[in-house]
Amino acid sequence: MDSITQAALGAAVGGAVLGRRLGRKAVLIGAVLGTLPDLDVMIDYGDAVANVTEHRGFSHSLFVLTGLGTLLALLTSRLKAARNIPLGHWWLFYVLCLTTHPLLDALTTYGTQLWWPMDVRPAAYPIVFIIDPLYTLPLLVGIGVALATGNGRRGPAWGLALSSAYLVFAFGAKQLVEHRLEPVLAERGLAEAPRLVQPTPFNTLLWRVTVVDGDEHHELLVGVLDGDTPPLVETYRRGTDLEAVALDSPRGQRLDWFAGPFLRYETRELDGRETLVVTDLRLGFPGFHPFAFTLATRESDGWQPVATSEQLEPPSRGNREALTRLAGRILTPETALCTSDFVAAGWALETPEAC
């Protein structure tokens, strides 16, 4: 989630746990703790693929953050001014302010390495977009009340309750979308295909569905308010004939671990050289995927890995139009919104007549 939301969550948790004892201090310290895990963005690993795939790594590990919270609790409890608060309360304060950050991140699409250093894929069960005002606003109001009144507990506790209720609603909305998807995918023989269901920007009423089927991936938009209106299915190619080339390099294997199988492979002419580019299809929106990386260039003796991978700039043309049309699609399911309107020519394989 965005930094404002994470700071607000930490502040609300801090106020709910120790606001009665510490007042405004609990809110302010909680805000700092809630932001702490994202300081890993300041680390430059010297490579675009590494920078992206290492983010939400060790600093988001439940093991690391629980250990850090335990250490902070032990140190704080030794301070004379803090001895009137039991060690267990300090432990809850620090550990919850720290660990709620990655737990919330795990409810977005990016992927969070909750179990680092264990070699498991990043955890992701997306039910909220990385920026969602309806989740953040109750937290901000709650901590605002706490800072204004000096009562550090009641406002944050209510803010947490309302924001948590919104997450419950988002979970229910996703279950509804999944239910509506089943017959559509079964009809196409895709019931068992890998799929990703995630909310579109800034809301939990319209959901983007990506289904991978070998060299193809299918895109659908399914809304909570769609009723019986069947979703459009648009089909694109993934360029899997280049997958073996990508997986022949450590960076390609890392991307496959991070986002596979939701990856697209293509060649582009960059600086006068034929370059293999791999795009993470999970993040962004068709035509506006922000994570595309150079992996190899074609030389006279075949494909050679690049010395340092680069992250390509995403296209900006039509971005505002796409968001406007997405917002309109939320309330008007009978109006077709075709993702193929925004993608580069040549990628679409199947476009419904409504497009």
Side-chain angles (χ1 to χ4, degrees):
M1 297 292 282
D2 63 284
S3 298
I4 293 176
T5 299
Q6 292 291 12
L9 176 60
V13 170
V17 175
L18 281 185
R20 184 173 295 171
R21 296 286 192 95
L22 297 179
R24 295 184 180 93
K25 291 180 181 178
V27 172
L28 297 175
I29 296 172
V32 174
L33 293 171
T35 307
L36 193 61
D38 274 345
L39 293 181
D40 69 332
V41 297
M42 300 177 65
I43 302 174
D44 184 4
Y45 292 93
D47 181 87
V49 170
N51 285 339
V52 168
T53 60
E54 294 291 349
H55 177 48
R56 295 193 186 179
F58 75 92
S59 68
H60 286 61
S61 167
L62 294 180
F63 300 127
V64 171
L65 294 178
T66 300
L68 176 60
T70 301
L71 177 62
L72 290 173
L74 290 171
L75 292 175
T76 304
S77 66
R78 297 175 65 88
L79 299 176
K80 183 176 181 180
R83 289 176 183 170
N84 63 325
I85 298 177
L87 173 62
H89 290 191
W90 281 117
W91 186 86
L92 282 175
F93 175 76
Y94 283 117
V95 171
L96 289 180
C97 286
L98 289 168
T99 59
T100 49
H101 178 124
L103 290 174
L104 178 61
D105 275 348
L107 299 181
T108 66
T109 305
Y110 191 93
T112 308
Q113 298 175 50
L114 295 178
W115 312 113
W116 185 96
M118 296 174 62
D119 187 19
V120 295
R121 287 180 182 267
Y125 185 79
I127 60 173
V128 284
F129 189 65
I130 55 171
I131 301 174
D132 193 321
L134 290 182
Y135 176 80
T136 308
L137 188 59
L139 298 175
L140 292 176
V141 171
I143 62 178
V145 170
L147 293 174
T149 65
N151 184 335
R153 186 172 185 272
R154 183 171 297 177
W158 274 106
L160 275 175
L162 291 173
S163 62
S164 298
Y166 180 70
L167 291 181
V168 173
F169 168 81
F171 176 81
K174 182 168 184 173
Q175 296 307 303
L176 175 63
V177 168
E178 293 268 15
H179 177 73
R180 289 179 178 171
L181 270 177
E182 293 298 338
V184 177
L185 298 183
E187 182 180 355
R188 289 174 167 261
L190 299 172
E192 303 301 322
R195 67 183 183 226
L196 176 65
V197 180
Q198 59 177 310
T200 55
F202 317 126
N203 78 100
T204 52
L205 293 177
L206 182 64
W207 296 70
R208 175 192 168 204
V209 181
T210 306
V211 184
V212 171
D213 182 25
D215 189 47
E216 300 177 350
H217 74 93
H218 311 277
E219 293 284 344
L220 305 84
L221 289 173
V222 183
V224 172
L225 305 179
D226 283 2
D228 296 328
T229 304
L232 298 177
V233 181
E234 297 178 89
T235 302
Y236 303 93
R237 62 188 181 93
R238 289 203 304 126
T240 52
D241 54 309
L242 295 167
E243 185 174 21
V245 177
L247 294 180
D248 196 37
S249 68
R251 295 188 188 95
Q253 295 169 15
R254 180 72 176 179
L255 283 173
D256 183 68
W257 170 84
F258 182 67
F262 300 96
L263 295 170
R264 185 181 72 201
Y265 309 89
E266 62 181 307
T267 58
R268 299 187 192 179
E269 194 73 17
L270 299 175
D271 297 326
R273 308 173 76 179
E274 188 178 2
T275 305
L276 172 61
V277 175
V278 180
T279 300
D280 187 342
L281 295 172
R282 304 169 309 152
L283 306 171
F285 187 78
F288 305 96
H289 296 298
F291 293 102
F293 306 93
T294 59
L295 284 192
T297 56
R298 190 188 290 276
E299 309 294 341
S300 58
D301 56 347
W303 288 101
Q304 296 297 324
V306 295
T308 303
S309 68
E310 297 180 4
Q311 183 176 343
L312 302 181
E313 288 291 330
S316 58
R317 180 177 56 84
N319 199 356
R320 180 174 298 179
E321 177 193 355
L323 288 175
T324 300
R325 291 176 61 181
L326 270 176
R329 169 64 177 79
I330 294 174
L331 300 177
T332 54
E334 67 278 0
T335 302
L337 194 163
C338 303
T339 60
S340 54
D341 291 346
F342 306 104
V343 302
W347 281 100
L349 292 174
E350 180 182 339
T351 303
E353 291 183 3
C355 293

